[in-house]
């Protein structure tokens, strides 16, 4: 649905617009109402409506001033329709100069307004389709740039391109907003992208699928970013579990990675505390009490999961969840939660890389184990970790097998199509990212023939077809069957059929 804002200092006009017009019929919903220009401006900044119906004469800020401010300050201002009780050429002329869509006179005519809505709906929807395509392409590009930064790349070319995107030349302070939610993702993403576009911020998705926004400290951009976070939480906290986290760092482009890492630390800390809400990196404890992931134990557990050694899981799980060194001022429960969250994220990442159904896996885990944040005893944590590890091992094995079967099928299809070319098992293995020995075994299991036997049979089938159905020379048949050397082709044909190609062609 497209959002429309109604602005008029007379309540009866607002009520009439709200009740007499069938907004839904044309794909609109009323997102807000305002009785003066200042209130309307605040709503426009917060909600980024697609269309605004506004009166001209209002207290504090007039309708024309509201339109002018929107055109000057917003990268993507809404479309405006004026409702006025004044049939004035000067007002209409000013409205046209400010690219107002229409100028309607009071009293309100229902048919006239619905005609305008029909036109606006078509215009806005066409524009949204075009923007969505452009935004998708831009998001892919921006995600690539930012994730290269997050991974530690620091080339001058990358920094210059990011600086250009954020229009941040000469601005040192950076802010990163990160959002994690369990539902309403598409709605939240759409809202954030509209806001980011309107305020020259840059939307991105990190490698784990979290939504984020970067802003350089230009004018009041950082305070607006915090306002966005507050608005998102207010809008969606009743519908979803949502964490909005902020990280700040100085240093221009170089400060982006630390700003992201601080926002991520704040987000994870909030999650460890079973919370949803808004958190800034400055809110985190400064006494070194945050638990850290035992990377060595986690790596060893993952090796066991990935190699399918189910019998060794219990020992590796115990090593991961063992109490931290006495030097760490952190509760055992908090420490264990951190390890399990790291294990969960790692499992989901592995499953995603194998094109597995991550949502289904998470749902099955929740049905079996409940919510991690509800567990508060060490034995329950151990049971949770062991069941998670066993299920991860089996799911990854199953998905790997399914992916390998799919890959073998694609290899066979490729050979069927490209058998005339020079094909080598080693090169096919590289092309499809497989071990050559394993590919050879799997190929035979799939087709009942070795790779070389299968390839030769395909080539012979084609050679026989050409000999029967064409007048091509033996040399031409050889080339078109995948044998660039005619003599070798003749010898192979005799070996496999018991006769020369010329004799085969003469058969009735």
């Amino acid at each position: 649905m497209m959002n429309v804002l109604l602005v008029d200092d007379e309540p009866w006009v607002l009520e009439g617009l709200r009740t007499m017009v069938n907004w839904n019929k044309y794909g609109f919903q009323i997102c807000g109402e305002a009785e003066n220009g200042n209130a309307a401006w605040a709503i426009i900044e917060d909600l980024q409506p697609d269309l605004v119906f506004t009166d001209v004469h209002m207290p504090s800020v007039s309708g024309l001033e509201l339109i002018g401010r929107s055109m000057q300050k917003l990268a993507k201002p809404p479309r405006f329709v004026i409702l006025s009780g004044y049939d004035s050429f000067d007002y209409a002329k000013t409205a046209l100069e400010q690219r107002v869509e229409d100028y309607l006179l009071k009293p309100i005519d229902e048919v006239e307004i619905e005609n305008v809505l029909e036109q606006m709906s078509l215009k806005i929807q066409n524009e949204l389709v075009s923007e969505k395509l452009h935004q998708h392409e831009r998001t892919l590009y921006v995600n690539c740039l930012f994730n290269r930064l997050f991974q530690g790349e620091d080339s001058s070319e990358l920094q210059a391109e990011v600086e250009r995107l954020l229009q941040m030349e000469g601005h040192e302070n950076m802010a990163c907003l990160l959002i994690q939610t369990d539902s309403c993702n598409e709605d939240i993403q759409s809202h954030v992208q509209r806001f980011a576009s309107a305020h020259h911020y840059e939307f991105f998705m990190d490698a784990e699928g979290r939504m984020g926004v970067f802003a350089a400290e230009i004018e009041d951009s950082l305070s607006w970013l915090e306002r966005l976070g507050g608005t998102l939480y207010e809008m969606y906290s009743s519908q979803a579990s949502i964490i909005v986290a902020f990280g700040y760092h100085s240093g221009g482009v170089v400060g982006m990675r630390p700003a992201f890492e601080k926002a991520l630390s704040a987000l994870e800390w909030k999650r460890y505390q079973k919370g949803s809400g808004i958190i800034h990196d400055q809110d985190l404890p400064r006494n070194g009490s945050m638990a850290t992931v035992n990377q060595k134990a986690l790596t060893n557990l993952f090796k066991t999961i990935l190699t399918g050694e189910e019998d060794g899981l219990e020992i590796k799980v115990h090593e991961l969840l063992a109490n931290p060194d006495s030097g760490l001022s952190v509760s055992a429960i908090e420490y264990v939660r951190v390890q399990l969250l790291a294990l969960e994220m790692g499992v989901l990442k592995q499953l995603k890389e194998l094109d597995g159904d991550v949502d289904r896996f998470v749902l099955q885990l929740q049905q079996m184990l409940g919510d991690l944040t509800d567990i508060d005893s060490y034995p329950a944590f151990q049971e949770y970790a062991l069941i998670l590890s066993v299920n991860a091992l089996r799911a990854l094995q199953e998905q790997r097998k399914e992916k390998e079967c799919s890959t073998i099928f694609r290899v066979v299809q490729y050979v069927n199509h490209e058998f005339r070319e020079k094909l080598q098992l080693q090169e096919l293995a590289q092309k499809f990212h497989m071990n050559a020995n394993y590919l050879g075994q799997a190929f035979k299991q799939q087709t009942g023939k070795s790779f070389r036997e299968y390839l030769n049979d395909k080539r012979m089938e084609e050679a026989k077809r050409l000999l029967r159905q064409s007048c091509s020379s033996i040399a031409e048949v050889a080339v078109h069957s995948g044998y660039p050397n005619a003599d070798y082709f003749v010898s192979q044909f005799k070996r496999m059929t018991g006769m020369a190609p010329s004799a085969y062609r003469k058969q009735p």
Side-chain angles (χ1 to χ4, degrees):
M1 297 290 283
M2 295 168 285
N3 288 325
V4 61
L5 171 65
L6 308 179
V7 187
D8 200 294
D9 60 342
E10 296 179 283
W12 65 269
V13 174
L14 293 175
E15 183 179 356
L17 286 170
R18 186 189 326 116
T19 58
M20 69 183 284
V21 179
N22 187 352
W23 301 97
N24 289 344
K25 178 181 177 181
Y26 302 99
F28 289 96
Q29 62 182 3
I30 297 173
C31 67
E33 298 177 10
E35 294 185 3
N36 61 70
N38 277 333
W41 174 244
I43 295 174
I44 288 172
E45 285 191 302
D46 275 347
L47 301 183
Q48 300 295 308
D50 301 287
L51 181 63
V52 177
F53 279 78
T54 181
D55 191 9
V56 174
H57 283 285
M58 293 183 296
S60 67
V61 174
S62 73
L64 294 178
E65 289 172 328
L66 176 66
I67 296 167
R69 185 184 296 180
S70 298
M71 297 298 180
Q72 291 171 9
K73 294 198 172 185
L74 298 179
K76 187 194 171 188
R79 295 176 181 272
F80 285 90
V81 173
I82 283 183
L83 296 172
S84 176
Y86 298 89
D87 187 6
S88 166
F89 175 75
D90 289 337
Y91 286 150
K93 182 174 179 293
T94 304
L96 289 172
E97 288 172 349
Q98 292 184 333
R99 293 179 295 174
V100 169
E101 297 294 333
D102 216 324
Y103 191 101
L104 305 180
L105 292 175
K106 298 177 184 177
I108 300 166
D109 184 286
E110 179 183 352
V111 174
E112 193 174 14
I113 286 183
E114 292 197 350
N115 286 338
V116 171
L117 288 179
E118 187 173 9
Q119 295 172 19
M120 289 300 95
S121 177
L122 186 60
K123 276 188 180 181
I124 293 170
Q125 287 182 22
N126 288 339
E127 186 178 89
L128 288 174
V129 169
S130 176
E131 281 183 0
K132 190 171 183 180
L133 178 60
H134 174 74
Q135 182 65 49
H136 177 69
E137 293 172 348
R138 180 180 176 83
T139 299
L140 291 176
Y141 178 63
V142 170
N143 286 350
C144 177
L145 290 181
F146 286 178
N147 282 297
R148 283 164 62 191
L149 272 181
F150 301 157
Q151 292 165 10
E153 184 177 335
D154 59 358
S155 68
S156 57
E157 294 83 0
L158 175 61
Q159 291 181 7
E161 178 62 6
V162 172
E163 190 172 83
R164 183 192 66 77
L165 272 176
L166 288 173
Q167 302 177 25
M168 58 179 289
E169 186 175 356
H171 299 278
E172 282 292 302
N173 295 327
M174 293 298 308
C176 178
L177 164 65
L178 271 185
I179 305 153
Q180 183 165 302
T181 179
D182 61 356
S183 61
C184 303
N185 284 292
E186 289 187 7
D187 289 345
I188 294 174
Q189 181 175 333
S190 176
H191 185 99
V192 174
Q193 285 180 318
R194 284 204 309 272
F195 188 94
S197 175
H199 291 275
H200 305 291
Y201 300 154
E202 208 56 65
F203 173 85
F204 68 92
M205 301 280 287
D206 74 3
E208 302 301 324
R210 290 174 286 252
M211 291 172 273
V213 179
F214 269 116
E217 189 175 13
I218 303 171
E219 297 180 354
D220 56 356
S221 59
L222 300 192
S223 62
W224 274 112
L225 194 65
E226 294 192 8
R227 190 167 177 177
L228 168 63
T231 300
L232 287 173
Y233 185 73
E234 184 177 332
M235 288 178 64
Y236 295 101
S237 58
S238 62
Q239 307 170 48
S241 173
I242 179 171
I243 300 175
V244 177
F246 295 91
Y248 305 89
H249 203 82
S250 61
V253 174
V254 177
M256 289 179 66
R257 183 183 179 191
F260 169 77
E261 290 174 343
K262 287 180 177 180
L264 182 58
S265 294
L267 187 149
E268 290 179 340
W269 174 258
K270 193 71 173 176
R271 188 180 173 197
Y272 301 156
Q273 303 304 311
K274 307 183 185 180
S276 62
I278 302 172
I279 184 167
H280 297 71
D281 69 271
Q282 299 100 318
D283 299 336
L284 300 182
R286 298 300 171 187
N287 58 3
S289 65
M290 283 186 65
T292 57
V293 176
N294 185 339
Q295 290 292 351
K296 182 178 179 181
L298 184 64
T299 300
N300 289 337
L301 175 54
F302 260 114
K303 285 181 181 177
T304 304
I305 290 173
L306 294 175
T307 53
E309 300 172 7
E310 196 166 321
D311 292 340
L313 286 177
E314 191 168 355
I315 294 175
K316 301 301 181 185
V317 164
H318 176 73
E319 291 174 356
L320 178 66
L321 303 187
N323 289 334
D325 297 336
S326 58
L328 291 176
S329 54
V330 61
S331 72
I333 286 179
E334 180 188 320
Y335 174 84
V336 171
R337 280 204 184 103
V338 171
Q339 312 312 310
L340 285 178
L341 285 167
L343 175 60
E344 275 185 3
M345 287 190 289
V347 167
L348 297 181
K349 184 178 180 181
Q350 289 287 335
L351 192 58
K352 187 175 181 181
E353 288 177 357
L354 289 171
D355 299 323
D357 191 337
V358 174
D359 291 338
R360 183 166 65 90
F361 181 79
V362 170
L363 182 61
Q364 289 174 342
L365 275 184
Q366 289 175 341
Q367 291 171 343
M368 283 189 294
L369 302 173
D371 194 332
L372 174 60
T373 57
D374 294 331
I375 301 175
D376 56 8
S377 71
Y378 193 79
F381 278 127
Q382 284 187 307
E383 181 183 10
Y384 184 102
L386 187 57
I387 294 174
L388 168 61
S389 299
V390 169
N391 279 274
L393 180 149
R394 293 172 182 172
L396 291 172
Q397 278 188 327
E398 181 181 334
Q399 189 61 30
R400 193 179 295 112
K401 184 177 180 181
E402 183 177 321
K403 190 173 179 67
E404 286 174 354
C405 288
S406 173
T407 301
I408 296 301
F409 177 77
R410 287 190 292 117
V411 171
V412 173
Q413 294 294 99
Y414 183 84
V415 173
N416 289 344
H417 189 263
E418 302 292 339
F419 65 88
R420 299 173 185 84
E421 304 300 322
K422 182 180 179 182
L423 298 181
Q424 300 291 335
L425 185 63
Q426 189 71 37
E427 292 175 359
L428 279 179
Q430 291 176 358
K431 180 179 179 63
F432 288 91
H433 310 291
M434 299 184 70
N435 176 275
N437 290 333
Y438 177 79
L439 175 58
Q441 295 169 8
F443 193 97
K444 186 169 185 178
Q445 186 175 5
Q446 177 82 7
T447 64
K449 301 176 183 179
S450 70
F451 168 73
R452 185 52 55 187
E453 289 172 336
Y454 187 89
L455 181 60
N456 283 334
D457 285 350
K458 288 295 297 182
R459 288 172 172 171
M460 281 298 132
E461 286 174 15
E462 178 66 3
K464 290 176 182 177
R465 186 187 70 80
L466 291 172
L467 289 169
R468 289 193 307 267
Q469 300 178 10
S470 76
C471 298
S472 301
S473 67
I474 299 301
E476 289 172 335
V477 169
V479 170
H480 294 311
S481 303
Y483 295 97
N485 185 298
D487 291 337
Y488 178 72
F489 164 66
V490 171
S491 66
Q492 286 292 98
F493 195 93
K494 285 181 178 178
R495 182 182 67 81
M496 296 180 71
T497 66
M499 64 179 70
S502 55
Y504 180 87
R505 170 173 273 171
K506 293 176 182 178
Q507 287 186 125

